Amino acid sequence: MRTVEKALRLLDLFDDQHPDLGLSELARLSGVDKATVLRMLNDMAATGLVEQDTQTRHWRLGAGLLRLARLREAAFPVSRVLTPILEHLAQATGETAHASLLAGRDLGTVGVAESTRPTRVSLDPGLVLPLHATASGIAFTAFARPDLREQVLARTLSGVTHATPTSRAALSDLIAQAQARGYALADQTFESEVYGVAMPLFGPDGHAVGALAVASPSSRISDAHLKTIVTTLAPAAKEATLAMGGRIPATLKIVL
Amino acid sequence: MRTVEKALRLLDLFDDQHPDLGLSELARLSGVDKATVLRMLNDMAATGLVEQDTQTRHWRLGAGLLRLARLREAAFPVSRVLTPILEHLAQATGETAHASLLAGRDLGTVGVAESTRPTRVSLDPGLVLPLHATASGIAFTAFARPDLREQVLARTLSGVTHATPTSRAALSDLIAQAQARGYALADQTFESEVYGVAMPLFGPDGHAVGALAVASPSSRISDAHLKTIVTTLAPAAKEATLAMGGRIPATLKIVL
DNA sequence: AAACGGCGGTGTATATAATGAACCGGACAA
DNA sequence: TTGTCCGGTTCATTATATACACCGCCGTTT
């Protein structure tokens, strides 16, 4: 693998449960030699992508990320545009809403508005959504650039739950359904007891760049509830696409 | 230079004025061969640090940054803690307030609250503040870990304006003044017509991790105005440090 | 105390991965 | 047509990343 990519993969080892990691820990998790990992970390620290706790000597994501993210937001205000949409969506459906954008090989969560109900779906901050195992991923892939879609289909698909599609045929079916309906449904394909409804967000070229989704406890899903979610989600996704400067393809149809 | 660092330096070529850049442009600006730059960009795109516009083929900062920044914020809520403090500071002083954290070799702006006055200081999003040329940088360096301070003093100091300290002695003086006063003053050392007042933000080990600053048009600075700024900034900086889990060294004194 | 194991970090010979010059096809201008 | 600049590709050369062995340190166990 390319060295730069290997180094950047280290960043993905940090998550909600592991906000800081030691050198040996990072080496073990990444399967790379300690000495190499240390050099990579120092290189990344030089630009603020990671930083080291002076006391524990552990590493964490750096303040440079905040600066770069702000810079991106200034040019392409995504979070700012999505936040009110997500909040309205959560309020109107009573369920947790989230938005994600393609970041590398998967979707990265860039905004969440939680439901206020006592039982609700809760998402870890910065969660990565696999393209084949989530409603968001399916909705995105169904409307992504064809070459990208083909890449996803060609991947070896890891099973996450019992309902995760692991064969090319199964995934292809789900994608076809999403293309026909204009949105994707996923019952416990990523997280048990979670039912996801997702619609694609489009870029200026009319291909998907991300997804807008509502996640509900599976137990609360009924035909009526599903209908509410879909009819609320549709205008929200449209608004989000337009606000981000995207173009909705003329062929898109939302089928209840 | 290390390959990873060279690749990450490409990220710093994006700024407020240049939100997207072409391949040749990046190669020219970085002084690296096109082929190499392209490989680096592709590696960074694989983790979402950058992304390519499908139409213009230009590159911009990627959505992965948003995810990683959110992840960092979840573990170390910096922006969220600083925003209300900055807003209060801007309101109480009538001037633009900003916060920055060490990110690599310099301070990266992580929060801004603009003054509402007709004449005010405006900061580019994601601005990088050199340690030797800004009030924030001096305040930070004065209270940073001694070895880091020594590194800064050992650097070749580039002049930004006529007032920028460029000799080790001049910088050393400014640092000593800041240490004695508990804050730094900088009259047009970075941007002409801008007067900066900055206090350090401390980490858990009692050394500076960033700075909180108020930037005023030089023309508006008077003894009374300066006094207002300092007396408003002091409790704000203290609050910010504590809210971020930092420890204020017992030796710190604020001298009006 | 002594021995141990894990930690963060360093030095260096080896081998792998980064490099850049030359090149391609396409878009646009003169 | 010719020329120029663009994004992108190829491939021989070589500079750079790599991993092993090793260091000192610290806390726990024996």
Side-chain angles (χ1 to χ4, degrees):
Chain A
M1 199 195 292
R2 315 245 100 81
T3 307
V4 174
E5 194 181 338
K6 226 183 304 180
L8 297 179
R9 287 252 175 274
L10 293 174
L11 297 176
D12 291 331
L13 298 175
F14 297 92
D15 63 26
D16 198 41
Q17 263 70 49
H18 309 90
D20 59 359
L21 297 166
L23 172 61
S24 299
E25 216 165 351
L26 284 161
R28 225 178 297 119
L29 290 169
S30 63
V32 180
D33 189 89
K34 253 194 323 177
T36 304
V37 169
L38 183 61
R39 250 179 348 93
M40 290 170 171
L41 287 170
N42 279 325
D43 287 357
M44 292 196 285
T47 45
L49 254 58
V50 298
E51 58 193 25
Q52 190 173 26
D53 189 302
T54 50
Q55 317 205 314
T56 64
R57 306 238 124 201
H58 281 203
W59 299 82
R60 58 167 178 257
L61 297 175
L65 290 167
L66 303 183
R67 189 184 75 82
L68 291 168
R70 280 171 59 83
L71 198 46
R72 192 197 134 103
E73 278 294 302
F76 309 92
V78 173
S79 294
R80 204 176 325 150
V81 155
L82 290 176
T83 303
I85 294 173
L86 286 167
E87 278 168 4
H88 168 257
L89 201 47
Q91 177 267 316
T93 62
E95 301 292 357
T96 297
H98 64 274
S100 51
L101 298 180
L102 183 67
R105 291 171 54 91
D106 301 296
L107 293 177
T109 307
V110 297
V112 179
E114 283 214 6
S115 158
T116 52
R117 296 202 190 182
T119 63
R120 60 173 182 248
V121 176
S122 199
L123 280 84
D124 287 349
L127 187 66
V128 171
L129 307 174
L131 293 184
H132 73 287
T134 61
S136 293
I138 303 285
F140 166 82
T141 309
F143 295 93
R145 289 213 325 276
D147 60 320
L148 184 53
R149 179 161 57 247
E150 184 45 45
Q151 278 176 37
V152 176
L153 281 165
R155 289 185 196 166
T156 51
L157 309 171
S158 62
V160 183
T161 71
H162 62 280
T164 311
T166 51
S167 73
R168 186 189 164 107
L171 178 57
S172 197
D173 273 2
L174 290 176
I175 289 172
Q177 284 175 35
Q179 288 171 331
R181 277 198 292 245
Y183 55 93
L185 302 174
D187 189 4
Q188 314 189 43
T189 57
F190 185 53
E191 202 72 72
S192 60
E193 299 305 319
V194 174
Y195 193 105
V197 185
M199 291 191 185
L201 298 174
F202 295 97
D205 63 354
H207 288 122
V209 294
L212 191 63
V214 171
S216 163
S218 291
S219 56
R220 198 141 65 214
I221 289 295
S222 65
D223 283 357
H225 194 40
L226 202 50
K227 190 180 171 189
T228 305
I229 291 173
V230 171
T231 53
T232 314
L233 192 51
K238 184 177 175 185
E239 186 190 347
T241 287
L242 297 178
M244 285 166 45
R247 189 176 64 77
I248 296 163
T251 54
L252 183 72
K253 293 219 167 42
I254 309 291
V255 181
L256 267 183
Chain B
M1 199 195 290
R2 314 245 101 79
T3 307
V4 175
E5 195 181 338
K6 228 183 302 180
L8 297 179
R9 287 252 176 277
L10 292 175
L11 296 176
D12 290 331
L13 298 175
F14 297 92
D15 63 26
D16 198 39
Q17 263 69 47
H18 309 91
D20 58 0
L21 297 166
L23 172 61
S24 299
E25 215 164 353
L26 284 161
R28 226 177 297 120
L29 290 168
S30 63
V32 180
D33 189 89
K34 254 195 322 178
T36 303
V37 169
L38 182 60
R39 252 177 346 95
M40 289 169 171
L41 287 169
N42 280 324
D43 287 356
M44 293 197 284
T47 45
L49 253 58
V50 297
E51 60 194 22
Q52 190 174 25
D53 189 301
T54 50
Q55 319 206 313
T56 65
R57 305 237 126 201
H58 281 201
W59 298 83
R60 59 167 176 255
L61 296 174
L65 290 167
L66 303 182
R67 188 184 75 82
L68 291 169
R70 282 172 58 84
L71 199 46
R72 193 197 134 103
E73 278 294 302
F76 308 93
V78 173
S79 293
R80 203 178 323 152
V81 154
L82 290 176
T83 302
I85 294 173
L86 287 167
E87 278 167 4
H88 168 258
L89 201 47
Q91 177 268 316
T93 61
E95 302 292 356
T96 297
H98 64 275
S100 51
L101 297 179
L102 183 67
R105 290 171 55 91
D106 301 296
L107 292 177
T109 308
V110 296
V112 179
E114 282 214 5
S115 159
T116 52
R117 295 203 190 182
T119 63
R120 61 174 183 248
V121 177
S122 200
L123 279 84
D124 287 349
L127 188 66
V128 172
L129 307 175
L131 293 184
H132 73 289
T134 61
S136 294
I138 303 284
F140 166 81
T141 309
F143 295 94
R145 290 212 326 277
D147 60 321
L148 184 52
R149 180 161 55 247
E150 183 46 45
Q151 278 176 37
V152 176
L153 282 164
R155 288 186 196 165
T156 50
L157 310 172
S158 61
V160 184
T161 71
H162 62 279
T164 310
T166 50
S167 73
R168 186 188 164 108
L171 178 57
S172 197
D173 273 2
L174 289 176
I175 289 173
Q177 284 174 34
Q179 287 170 332
R181 278 198 291 247
Y183 56 93
L185 302 175
D187 189 4
Q188 313 189 45
T189 57
F190 185 52
E191 200 75 68
S192 60
E193 300 305 318
V194 173
Y195 193 107
V197 185
M199 291 190 185
L201 299 173
F202 295 97
D205 63 354
H207 289 122
V209 294
L212 192 62
V214 170
S216 165
S218 291
S219 57
R220 196 142 65 215
I221 289 295
S222 64
D223 283 359
H225 194 40
L226 202 50
K227 189 180 171 188
T228 304
I229 291 174
V230 171
T231 53
T232 313
L233 192 51
K238 183 177 174 182
E239 186 190 348
T241 287
L242 296 178
M244 285 166 45
R247 189 176 63 77
I248 296 164
T251 54
L252 182 73
K253 293 218 167 44
I254 309 290
V255 180
L256 266 184

